[in-house]
Each structure stands twice: as C-alpha cells, then as structure tokens.
C-alpha cells in the first residue's frame, strides 16, 4: 500500500494524527492523480454512508409539502423522487470533501509559508498583532518575513528586507509582500528608508505604484482606498492606474495625492509629521536641557516594546500605562521631538495614567510639555493630579469649551488659584506650554512667553496619588477617568516631552527649553 492510499484510508476512518492529515493534504494539493483518486474515494464513502443510514433520512421538500396539502392538486413527479438518493449521495460527498478542504488545505498553506525562503525579518514591534492573513500564524519581533499577505492591528512594526530596505508600518494595515523589492499596501501607512543597494524598491497601492531611486518616503492608503505619497528625502517615480496619466517624479519635500476615479495626481504639502520614521528617540538639546533641571518625572513618549507602557526617563522609574480606548491606531505618533502620545479626544477615549509619582512638598512646582491640539474638547487635559472627590495639586489643560490654556492650583487652605491665557490655544501646530508656581505666583507660559500670572497661597499636600495625562482621572483605586460633571477631559491631538519638577523653574529656563529644538541633535549623539 502506498503512502497516499494508507493516509487516505486512515482519514476516511478518522484515524490520522494532525501531522498525517497535513501530509495527506500536501499530497492531494500537489498531485492531480491523487486529487482524482481522493474525490473517487469520497464519492464511494459517501454512497456507502447513505446506504447504511449514516446520513439519515433526507426529506424531499416537495413530497413533504404535498403530503401536507400545501401544493393542492400538484403532484411530485415520480422521476423527481428518484433524485432523492442522488441528492443524499451528493450531500455526503460534499460533507466529506469539504471537511478535508477546510481543515487540511490551510495546514498545507501554513506549512508552505513556514518552509518558504525568508525575504527579511521583523526588527522591532510595539504592541498590536501582526498576522499572516488566512493562516493561524502570529509573528513576533525577530521572526522572518516571507512572501504572503499580512494584517497589522493596533501597533507598529519595522521590517528590514534582505536588501537593507527598512519599512515601518503603522496599524491598522493590510499589505502583501511579493519580493524583497516589492510591497503592496492595501490599507495603512508606511515609511520606507531605501539605501543604494535597495534602489528600485516599489510600493504599490490600489491606485498608484511608487518606484524608489534611493530615498526616504511615506505612503498612505486610507479606508476609502485613496493614496498619498510623501518624499522626505531623495526621489521617487509615481505611476498611476490612469491610462492617460504620465508618471511623475517627486523629490525632497514634495507630495502628491491620487484621485481614485481618474488616477490624476494633485500636488499637496509634504507632511513628515504624519509618518513614524523611526523607533528611536533622538538625543537633542531639549532632552539634555530637561534632565539638567532635575525633573521629578520625565515622559519623552518613547515607544515601548509592548506599545502600552509610558516610560519615565527621569531615572525614578515612575512608569505609567497607556489606555488606547477606541483607537485603532498605535498610541505613538510623530512628536515635536521624536515620538508623541497620540490621543483622539472623546471619540477615541485614549489616555495615560501614572498610578503614583513624587509630589511637590515645598509649595513649588513646574510642569512643561509640547502639545498639538486638533480640536478643543471641554476641559481637555494635558496633565492633572486632580480629580472629583479627592484632593489633588494641579490641573493643566484647556479651559471649559472656550479652549484657552489654563492652570489651576489647589492652595494649602483648599481654595483654588486659577490662571488663564487670553486666547484659545491655536490648533494644528506644536506649542511649548508650561506653568511655574514659585511660592508666591503661578505663571503661565506659551511658546516661551509668560501669558498670565496670579498669586497663590501655598500648595496643598494631595491625597490623590495618580497623574492623568490627556484625561481627568478617577478618584477610585483603578485610576480610570470619571467626572461628575460629565466631562472626561480627553485631549484631542498629541502630547510630547512632558516633565514635572518639584521646584520652580526660572523664566530663562522656560525660554531655553522653548528654543532648544532649534539647536537640533547633540553632536555626541549617535
């Protein structure tokens, strides 16, 4: 008896192991003669099962309706009754054949994918899941990447191909890998860094083909299948699906959008801030400046391995937890410096929470951050040790629905000192924001300039331990957001480089931090 006959016999008797079923499926899929014999055996097996009652009685619906009188004078032809046996046989055959196709064939495809040649590897992942589409395969950092279709949910993945092309993909994304020089992006956002040996690397979308000529560029396909191409450095050629549309060359700081109907290209402003291009946090004069001022906590918004940990870079280890809420994308986005915490307001319900951190004890505190607002939700929060039902030290965010920058300080006697900017925070641009309580005055700063000041009388020792970032926290032990007024204070936009100091910064310190990003990267940084 051949291997195929032995496995087929065992399968019909339900006596095969998982490995043997996979081997049988391989033989069926790879050999036309085996497929024909398999179908013949299934036919015979189904017919025998019917003869011995294994399939049960199959009621002819026309006969049943006639017996109940529902068809009136119409009678079922005798010839049709003879089809009963054929129908039962066909149903049994389909049942057996379908079982193999649904169970064994996916196993074959899994085996084929696993045994195929690697065209690259996953060098970094942050949260989410990367799966091989239609196969029960979930990939992790360090795994090989191969020809196939993939789905990325809720995170970020960086792939390096055998030709040293680096591609960073943001969820939600669906893409296919054809070779180490060709990627099909069906939905999602990616950035690619192509060295000389990777020239010719191609990204295809439903409406455009982008051919690289040694560059760094980004491609996005939205849920409506619209495509955009942004060139950060170098040159690419863009070919559309439109029959009468000539290919165009895009160079550094150029971008285009493709019309899904006509295939025509429209020039748009390049937006590097929309695309994550690296996992690394650059060592800049800004971060050096913050550390030199001895922060109690410092959240650079660096990408964590699990995609959900908020890392404290002060050295104190007061890490927080990111809650992504209803967001489908990663919680990390391009920031003012490196990465930022991405938040999507009340609809996204995302925020970060630090369960405990060092509080100010000498009536002095300073808080600084870079913020980017896309809208102004009611009481939108930057950072708060402030909650309903317990005593907190400060609220820092936007005022009510008007949207002016505001800080509130809980004074030592329990009253509140409030300082408010004179105009709403401008939208869709980065701003450096800060407040300083120096023992006598609370000073509010925007973009290095003092915009408001008020007196205060001491600083309360808080009973509430947690710090909410992008949200007003809850007073209960689980530290989740809540507010008796109905406003949760979700931030809509991004928050970057948040630092708290348990002492008063000088006005020149605030000015230096605001100007520091213009100096760029530290010369000693790698």
């Amino acid at each position: 008896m051949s291997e195929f006959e032995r496995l087929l016999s065992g399968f019909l008797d339900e006596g095969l192991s998982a490995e043997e079923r996979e081997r049988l499926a391989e033989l069926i899929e790879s050999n036309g003669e085996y497929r024909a014999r398999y179908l013949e055996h299934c036919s015979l097996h189904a017919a025998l099962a019917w003869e011995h009652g294994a399939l049960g009685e199959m009621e002819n619906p026309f006969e049943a309706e006639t017996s109940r009188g529902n068809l009136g004078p119409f009678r079922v032809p005798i010839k049709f009754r003879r089809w009963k046996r054929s129908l039962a046989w066909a149903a049994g055959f389909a049942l057996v054949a379908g079982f193999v196709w649904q169970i064994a064939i996916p196993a074959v495809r899994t085996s084929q994918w696993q045994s195929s040649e690697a065209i690259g590897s996953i060098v970094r992942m942050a949260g989410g899941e990367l799966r091989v589409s239609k196969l029960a395969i979930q990939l992790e950092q360090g795994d090989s990447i191969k020809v196939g279709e993939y789905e990325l949910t809720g995170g970020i993945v960086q792939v390096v191909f055998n030709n040293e092309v680096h591609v960073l993909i943001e969820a939600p994304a669906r893409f296919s890998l054809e070779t180490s020089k060709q990627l099909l992006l069906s939905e999602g956002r990616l950035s690619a860094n192509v060295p000389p040996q990777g020239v010719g690397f191609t990204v295809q979308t439903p409406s455009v083909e982008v051919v690289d000529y040694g560059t760094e560029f980004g491609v996005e396909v939205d849920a409506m299948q619209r495509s955009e191409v942004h060139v950060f450095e170098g040159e690419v050629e863009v070919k559309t699906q439109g029959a009468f549309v000539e290919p165009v060359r895009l160079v550094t700081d150029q971008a285009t959008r493709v019309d899904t109907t006509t295939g025509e290209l429209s020039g748009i402003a390049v937006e590097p801030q929309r695309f994550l291009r690296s996992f690394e946090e650059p060592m800049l004069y800004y971060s050096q400046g913050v550390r030199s001022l001895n922060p109690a906590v410092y959240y650079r918004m660096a990408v964590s391995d699990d995609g959900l940990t908020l890392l404290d870079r002060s050295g104190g280890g007061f890490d927080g937890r990111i809650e992504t809420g209803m967001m489908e994308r990663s919680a990390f986005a391009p920031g003012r410096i490196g990465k930022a915490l991405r938040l999507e307001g009340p609809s996204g319900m995302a925020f970060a929470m630090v369960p405990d951190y060092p509080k100010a004890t000498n009536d002095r505190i300073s808080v600084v951050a870079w913020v980017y607002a896309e809208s102004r939700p009611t009481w939108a929060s930057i950072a708060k040790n402030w909650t309903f039902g317990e005593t907190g030290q400060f609220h820092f965010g936007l005022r009510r629905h008007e949207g002016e920058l505001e800080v509130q300080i809980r004074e030592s006697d329990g009253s509140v000192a409030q300082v408010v900017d004179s105009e709403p925070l401008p939208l869709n641009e980065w701003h450096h924001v800060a407040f300083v309580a120096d023992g006598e005055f609370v000073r509010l700063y925007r973009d290095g300039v003092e915009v408001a000041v008020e007196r205060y009388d001491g600083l309360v020792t808080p009973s509430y331990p947690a710090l909410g970032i992008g949200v007003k926290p809850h007073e209960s032990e689980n530290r989740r957001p809540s507010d008796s007024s109905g406003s949760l204070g979700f931030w809509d936009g991004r928050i970057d480089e948040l630092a708290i100091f348990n002492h008063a910064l000088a006005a020149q310190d605030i000015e230096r931090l605001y100007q520091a990003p213009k100096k760029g990267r530290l010369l000693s940084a790698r």
Side-chain angles (χ1 to χ4, degrees):
M1 180 183 294
S2 69
E3 179 188 22
F4 171 74
E5 291 171 335
R6 178 182 63 81
L7 292 173
L8 180 58
S9 176
F11 173 74
L12 295 176
D13 292 335
E14 300 183 358
L16 294 185
S17 65
E19 292 77 11
E20 288 173 323
R21 288 197 301 273
E22 183 174 326
R23 175 57 180 161
L24 174 61
E26 289 177 355
L27 293 172
I28 292 170
E29 191 168 76
S30 63
N31 188 297
E33 180 184 350
Y34 287 161
R35 281 196 295 275
R37 293 172 62 185
Y38 155 73
L39 294 174
E40 180 183 350
H41 277 68
C42 284
S43 301
L44 178 61
H45 187 78
L48 290 173
W50 183 86
E51 287 288 348
H52 292 283
L55 298 178
E57 287 296 320
M58 296 184 62
E59 182 184 54
N60 184 320
F62 290 96
E63 291 180 334
E65 291 296 320
T66 302
S67 67
R68 288 191 288 267
N70 294 339
L71 296 181
F74 297 100
R75 300 189 60 81
V76 178
I78 298 297
K79 182 169 62 175
F80 182 83
R81 298 174 191 166
R82 295 172 183 165
W83 294 354
K84 181 177 180 180
R85 181 175 302 223
S86 298
L87 288 171
W89 172 85
F93 169 72
L95 181 66
V96 176
F99 179 77
V100 170
W101 235 255
Q102 293 178 18
I103 302 300
I105 297 304
V108 172
R109 293 175 181 150
T110 298
S111 178
Q112 289 175 337
W113 186 91
Q114 291 173 334
S115 61
S116 63
E117 182 179 358
I119 59 175
S121 61
I122 301 169
V123 294
R124 185 77 189 270
M125 287 189 70
E129 293 184 351
L130 178 62
R131 294 183 178 275
V132 184
S133 300
K134 302 175 184 177
L135 299 179
I137 299 177
Q138 182 174 332
L139 301 178
E140 305 291 342
Q141 184 170 310
D143 286 346
S144 295
I145 201 86
K146 305 175 182 184
V147 172
E149 299 179 11
Y150 297 85
E151 296 178 10
L152 176 64
T153 57
I156 313 165
V157 63
Q158 187 173 29
V159 175
V160 59
F161 292 97
N162 294 343
N163 53 10
E164 296 300 320
V165 173
H166 285 69
V167 177
L168 193 152
I169 305 169
E170 300 179 54
R174 294 181 293 110
F175 61 98
S176 301
L177 301 179
E178 307 294 335
T179 69
S180 61
K181 301 190 76 170
Q182 189 172 25
L183 182 151
L184 173 61
L185 181 65
S186 300
E187 181 183 357
R189 183 182 296 170
L190 66 77
S191 62
N193 191 312
V194 184
Q197 60 268 37
V199 168
F201 180 77
T202 301
V203 175
Q204 290 182 305
T205 76
S207 58
V208 72
E209 179 180 274
V210 184
V211 182
D212 170 82
Y213 288 94
T215 187
E216 187 177 4
F217 66 94
V219 179
E220 180 173 11
V221 180
D222 65 18
M224 302 296 291
Q225 299 289 281
R226 294 173 295 198
S227 301
E228 290 188 12
V229 182
H230 297 247
V231 180
F232 312 130
E233 184 177 354
E235 182 180 4
V236 302
E237 182 177 69
V238 180
K239 305 175 182 179
T240 73
Q241 305 297 335
F244 302 104
V245 180
E246 292 291 329
V248 300
R249 294 287 183 106
L250 298 180
V251 297
T252 303
D253 293 335
Q254 290 186 336
T256 190
R257 179 183 296 122
V258 184
D259 186 280
T260 54
T261 303
T262 66
E264 292 187 4
L265 302 174
S266 301
I268 58 176
V270 67
E271 296 185 67
Q273 284 290 320
R274 278 173 49 191
F275 296 84
L276 280 173
R277 297 158 61 185
S278 169
F279 275 85
E280 304 306 318
E281 284 292 310
M283 289 300 296
L284 301 181
Y285 283 97
Y286 186 90
S287 56
Q288 183 188 57
V290 170
R291 288 189 174 95
S292 71
L293 295 171
N294 189 28
V297 289
Y298 180 25
Y299 301 104
R300 296 206 63 193
M301 309 307 178
V303 178
S304 55
D305 289 339
D306 64 2
L308 296 173
T309 299
L310 188 71
L311 300 171
D312 173 22
R313 297 306 197 190
S314 71
F318 295 97
D319 294 346
R321 182 73 176 173
I322 299 169
E323 298 286 346
T324 56
M326 303 298 292
M327 289 200 313
E328 294 183 349
R329 296 185 290 175
S330 165
F332 296 99
R336 178 63 180 86
I337 301 169
K339 314 306 170 298
L341 181 65
R342 185 207 313 270
L343 305 169
E344 294 183 347
S347 62
M349 300 180 66
F351 61 94
M353 193 73 68
V354 181
D356 200 1
Y357 73 102
K359 313 300 187 299
T361 58
N362 60 353
D363 297 331
R364 291 163 176 80
I365 185 174
S366 305
V367 178
V368 301
W370 285 94
V371 299
Y372 185 100
E374 297 182 15
S375 70
R376 306 183 189 99
T378 302
W379 294 114
S381 304
I382 298 171
K384 293 182 180 181
N385 172 241
W386 195 272
T387 189
F388 178 79
E390 289 192 47
T391 302
Q393 279 191 330
F394 72 92
H395 150 94
F396 190 30
L398 303 185
R399 180 174 178 265
R400 295 188 306 201
H401 61 276
E402 293 92 341
E404 300 99 333
L405 189 65
E406 179 209 50
V407 59
Q408 294 183 27
I409 293 290
R410 181 76 65 182
E411 298 175 281
S412 54
D413 64 358
S415 58
V416 175
Q418 182 182 42
V419 187
V420 185
D421 196 354
S422 60
E423 61 184 54
L425 183 73
L427 301 179
N428 301 314
E429 55 187 56
W430 282 103
H431 296 280
H432 189 259
V433 298
F435 76 84
V436 176
D438 61 11
E440 185 177 3
F441 294 97
V442 182
R443 303 178 187 275
L444 183 62
Y445 296 84
R446 176 162 52 87
D447 295 333
V449 177
E450 181 182 301
V451 294
V453 60
E454 295 289 342
R455 286 185 176 276
Y456 77 106
D457 184 14
L459 191 62
V460 73
T461 299
S463 62
Y464 183 63
L467 175 70
I469 301 173
V471 76
K472 181 175 182 178
H474 190 274
E475 72 277 9
S476 65
E477 293 183 0
N478 63 14
R479 312 302 177 200
R480 296 188 66 84
S482 177
D483 191 326
S484 62
S485 69
S487 173
L488 299 177
F490 290 112
W491 185 264
D492 183 19
R494 304 177 194 182
I495 300 174
D496 195 11
E497 301 287 333
L498 172 66
I500 299 176
F501 307 82
N502 289 335
H503 56 271
L505 299 184
Q508 56 265 35
D509 295 329
I510 302 296
E511 170 67 15
R512 277 199 299 267
L513 289 178
Y514 169 63
Q515 297 291 345
K518 300 176 184 179
K519 296 182 178 181
R521 186 183 296 268
L522 288 170
L523 296 178
S524 60
R526 294 290 185 268

